[in-house]
């Protein structure tokens, strides 16, 4: 796989670039297309390479391939996902509307949380499909948290490799570079259909389901009344799991971790389930709520542009960065705090001298 930095610039010769672009032609096998796309994406992590690739009219080829994002063929679907993601995030095409600007989210009330995700996971603009093409173990939680009752969601397996999918609380940590994901702490439990394991607290035990394959449906039932989790593969259930409830009993999110080149799609109830359980349950989509703004999953370049626009006022409080710095501390004389923050301090944050009094300064308008 392509590496970043100066070596990456040297590796991307005109011959290599032409070869990778040829791999994107429709007569190529979808597997070849997929890994050519991922290689081009890795090369584009270097700005010089990104410019070189963008000037090759790659976006014209990607526009053809992005229609595959909704293909029933799961290999083509991966190609479509990566093509669409590249068009939205890397190789922008003039005149093409970004996917998030046109996707219909009216029926979606719960989705993967783009603000609660490890750094390299790709989330689709409708917020229900995710993919990892990094070498780290990438994780994400859902936007909706449950504290009581019985809940169910389903996942469609797009790739049959290592993913740990299940339930996690807010206390679960995403240590993607250390390889820790869902099921690797005491606050989460996960189903792994590739290695046929249940994960809890970084320990695993085998389960009786066969290995999952592309197109399989995995069901996740959380019963907070009985304090148990039940995992299903195509409607066939495993015995309940109860270990996680020794550490935590509420505040659960649907959550998942992905190894390299893995992808799946979530159904939180916006469309009918393939294998609904026989017991009475609730869905996130019935009870969750997101504003139109909260549903937007911005491409990276748009997100960075917004961050650059957020400038802190010159005269704002150095602690909260919100209120005007109008308070002087005595006896040290430092005055870059607002009164609300100053009242919460016993010593000056700049010089560590004890605060005897706080004086609000009145600005004089000439």
């Amino acid at each position: 796989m392509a590496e970043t930095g100066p070596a990456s610039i040297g590796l991307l010769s005109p011959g290599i670039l032409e070869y990778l672009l040829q791999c994107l032609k429709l007569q190529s096998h979808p597997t070849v297309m997929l890994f050519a796309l991922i290689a081009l994406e890795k090369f584009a992590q270097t700005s010089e390479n990104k410019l070189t690739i963008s000037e090759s009219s790659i976006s014209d080829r990607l526009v053809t391939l992005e229609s595959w994002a909704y293909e029933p063929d799961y290999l083509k679907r991966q190609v479509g996902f990566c093509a669409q993601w590249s068009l939205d995030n890397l190789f922008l095409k003039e005149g093409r509307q970004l996917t998030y600007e046109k996707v219909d989210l009216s029926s979606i009330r719960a989705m993967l949380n783009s603000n609660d995700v490890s750094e390299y996971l790709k989330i689709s603009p409708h917020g229900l499909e995710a993919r990892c093409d990094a070498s780290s173990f990438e994780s994400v939680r859902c936007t909706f948290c449950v504290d009581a009752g019985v809940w169910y969601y389903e996942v469609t397996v797009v790739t049959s490799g290592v993913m740990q999918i299940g339930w996690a609380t807010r206390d679960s940590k995403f240590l993607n570079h250390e390889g820790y994901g869902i099921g690797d702490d005491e606050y989460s439990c996960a189903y792994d259909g590739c290695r046929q394991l249940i994960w809890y607290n970084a320990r695993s035990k085998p389960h009786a389901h066969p290995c999952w394959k592309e197109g399989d449906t995995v069901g996740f039932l959380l019963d907070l009344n009985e304090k148990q989790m039940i995992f299903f593969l195509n409607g066939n259930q495993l015995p309940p799991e109860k270990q996680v409830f020794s550490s935590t009993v509420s505040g659960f999110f649907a959550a998942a971790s992905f190894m390299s080149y893995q992808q799946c799609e979530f159904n939180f109830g916006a469309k009918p389930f393939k294998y609904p359980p026989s017991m009475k349950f609730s869905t996130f989509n019935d009870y969750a709520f997101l504003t139109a703004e909260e549903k937007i999953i911005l491409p990276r370049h748009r997100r960075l542009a917004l961050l650059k626009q957020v400038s802190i006022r010159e005269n704002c409080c150095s602690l909260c960065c919100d209120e005007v710095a109008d308070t002087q501390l005595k006896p040290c004389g430092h005055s870059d705090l607002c009164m609300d923050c100053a009242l919460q301090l016993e010593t000056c944050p700049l010089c560590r001298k004890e605060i005897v009094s706080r004086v609000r300064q009145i600005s004089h308008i000439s």
Side-chain angles (χ1 to χ4, degrees):
M1 197 50 61
E3 56 181 301
T4 59
S8 169
I9 298 169
L11 279 173
L12 190 63
S13 64
I16 294 287
L17 177 56
E18 181 55 33
Y19 170 75
L20 292 172
L21 292 173
Q22 289 294 323
C23 290
L24 299 183
K25 288 190 170 179
L26 289 176
Q27 56 264 41
S28 300
H29 192 279
T31 303
V32 174
M33 290 179 168
L34 180 62
F35 283 96
L37 270 172
I38 294 168
L40 286 162
E41 178 198 319
K42 301 291 185 191
F43 274 122
Q45 289 174 10
T46 307
S47 55
E48 191 174 323
N49 280 342
K50 183 180 174 183
L51 184 61
T52 302
I53 298 167
S54 298
E55 289 172 346
S56 70
S57 302
I58 185 176
S59 58
D60 294 334
R61 300 185 190 217
L62 297 181
V63 165
T64 305
L65 298 178
E66 73 167 322
S67 63
W68 288 6
Y70 309 103
E71 276 273 335
D73 180 308
Y74 288 99
L75 192 50
K76 285 187 172 181
R77 182 164 164 175
Q78 292 182 67
V79 174
F81 183 101
C82 290
Q84 186 176 82
W85 191 89
S86 289
L87 280 167
D88 285 335
N89 290 274
L90 291 175
F91 310 121
L92 310 184
K93 180 174 171 60
E94 194 174 340
R96 174 187 174 271
Q97 195 175 16
L98 293 169
T99 312
Y100 87 91
E101 295 172 320
K102 59 187 178 184
V103 67
D104 180 12
L105 302 174
S106 56
S107 64
I108 294 173
R109 298 184 182 89
M111 60 192 349
L112 301 175
N113 192 340
S114 60
N115 298 312
D116 184 22
V117 61
S118 51
E119 57 197 316
Y120 300 120
L121 194 71
K122 300 171 180 174
I123 300 176
S124 66
H126 58 56
L128 296 176
E129 197 156 353
R131 178 180 176 89
C132 173
D133 285 314
S135 56
S136 42
F137 199 35
E138 299 295 307
S139 302
V140 65
R141 277 178 283 239
C142 175
T143 53
F144 189 62
C145 178
V146 296
D147 289 301
V150 182
W151 302 87
Y152 180 75
Y153 75 95
E154 283 183 347
V155 162
T156 299
V157 177
V158 177
T159 59
S160 57
V162 175
M163 296 179 279
Q164 292 174 203
I165 312 173
W167 301 93
T169 64
R170 206 180 295 280
D171 293 322
S172 297
K173 301 292 187 287
F174 300 161
L175 301 172
N176 51 335
H177 295 293
E178 282 79 31
Y180 286 89
I182 309 307
D184 292 329
D185 58 31
E186 68 268 39
Y187 307 110
S188 59
C189 185
Y191 178 97
D192 176 347
C194 176
R195 295 175 292 190
Q196 297 171 275
L197 298 170
I198 301 294
W199 289 92
Y200 168 67
N201 204 13
R203 289 189 288 271
S204 64
K205 65 177 184 181
H207 63 66
H209 281 162
C211 288
W212 59 22
K213 59 189 185 302
E214 291 87 349
D216 278 351
T217 299
V218 189
F220 300 86
L221 185 85
L222 175 68
D223 184 344
L224 290 167
N225 302 329
E226 299 295 325
K227 294 187 172 50
Q228 62 183 19
M229 298 173 179
I230 301 176
F231 301 113
F232 302 78
L233 180 66
N234 299 325
N236 298 314
Q237 76 176 69
L238 293 174
E241 297 294 333
K242 301 192 174 190
Q243 317 99 300
V244 72
F245 296 100
S246 62
S247 303
T248 187
V249 292
S250 66
F252 284 96
F253 298 80
S257 299
F258 302 72
M259 289 292 273
S260 306
Y261 317 124
Q262 302 309 312
Q263 181 177 336
C264 68
E265 181 182 15
F266 294 77
N267 179 6
F268 297 130
K271 60 184 180 183
F273 293 119
K274 289 184 181 175
Y275 301 97
S278 54
M279 65 192 300
K280 186 171 170 39
F281 63 88
S282 301
T283 76
F284 301 168
N285 223 60
D286 288 338
Y287 289 88
F289 174 77
L290 293 170
T291 65
E293 191 174 317
E294 287 169 336
K295 292 180 186 181
I296 294 173
I297 297 177
L298 284 175
R300 288 179 182 175
H301 65 282
R302 287 277 171 98
R303 202 161 64 238
L304 286 171
L306 277 179
L307 285 172
K308 285 177 183 173
Q309 286 173 17
V310 178
S311 57
I312 298 171
R313 296 194 310 273
E314 283 184 21
N315 64 337
C316 71
C317 170
S318 62
L319 285 186
C320 67
C321 299
D322 190 22
E323 300 298 325
V324 174
D326 61 357
T327 302
Q328 188 176 53
L329 307 179
K330 300 286 187 177
C332 69
H334 287 123
S335 58
D336 58 348
L337 301 174
C338 67
M339 184 59 83
D340 285 346
C341 288
L343 288 168
Q344 296 177 54
L345 300 172
E346 293 180 358
T347 58
C348 172
L350 290 175
C351 64
R352 301 298 177 193
K353 280 190 179 174
E354 186 179 350
I355 299 169
V356 175
S357 63
R358 303 153 186 85
V359 180
R360 178 165 273 146
Q361 298 169 309
I362 300 169
S363 58
H364 299 285
I365 301 170
S366 54

